[in-house]
Amino acid sequence: MKSLRVLALGLAVMSGIGAAQAADRRVTIVNATANTMTRLYASPSEGQPVDEDMLGDTILKPNQSATLVIGGSADVCNYDLKAGFDNNKTSVRKVNVCDVRTYRFTPN
């Protein structure tokens, strides 16, 4: 499997969070669908939606992956991951980024 490594701090609030805690928010996103993932947004489940695409100029073809740093408040673990695909469909998943190290986006 090809692997693209992307480190995106996005909207991470790093003041008050130690380097070890920030590293614990690293999540590998695997595109296990038949479509190319063109966008990925990570918003706290209990917060405002984020409009910054964490993939930037990167795309994830089927079976490719990217490792992202998803950050925010040290006590926030539950995030809504919203993926956009080349077929104009989106998929939103609730993920505990404190516990999950690899998340596979599979077909709905």
Side-chain angles (χ1 to χ4, degrees):
M1 176 186 331
K2 291 183 181 179
S3 178
L4 299 175
R5 299 258 178 214
V6 178
L7 294 178
L9 293 177
L11 299 176
V13 178
M14 299 307 291
S15 61
I17 299 176
Q21 283 180 307
D24 289 344
R25 302 298 180 105
R26 218 174 271 228
V27 179
T28 299
I29 304 297
V30 179
N31 180 7
T33 72
N35 296 95
T36 298
M37 185 182 296
T38 57
R39 299 171 312 285
L40 182 68
Y41 306 93
S43 301
S45 294
E46 300 298 323
Q48 294 293 322
V50 174
D51 61 358
E52 183 177 343
D53 180 4
M54 294 194 71
L55 292 178
D57 292 333
T58 301
I59 60 169
L60 297 180
K61 293 182 179 181
N63 297 315
Q64 286 186 325
S65 64
T67 299
L68 306 172
V69 176
I70 300 173
S73 175
D75 60 346
V76 176
C77 290
N78 295 314
Y79 277 77
D80 293 336
L81 301 183
K82 180 180 179 182
F85 296 92
D86 62 352
N87 62 354
N88 294 320
K89 298 204 180 208
T90 60
S91 179
V92 179
R93 309 291 171 81
K94 292 191 182 304
V95 178
N96 182 324
V97 299
C98 296
D99 292 339
V100 173
R101 295 293 167 247
T102 300
Y103 187 81
R104 296 174 57 83
F105 267 91
T106 57
N108 290 338

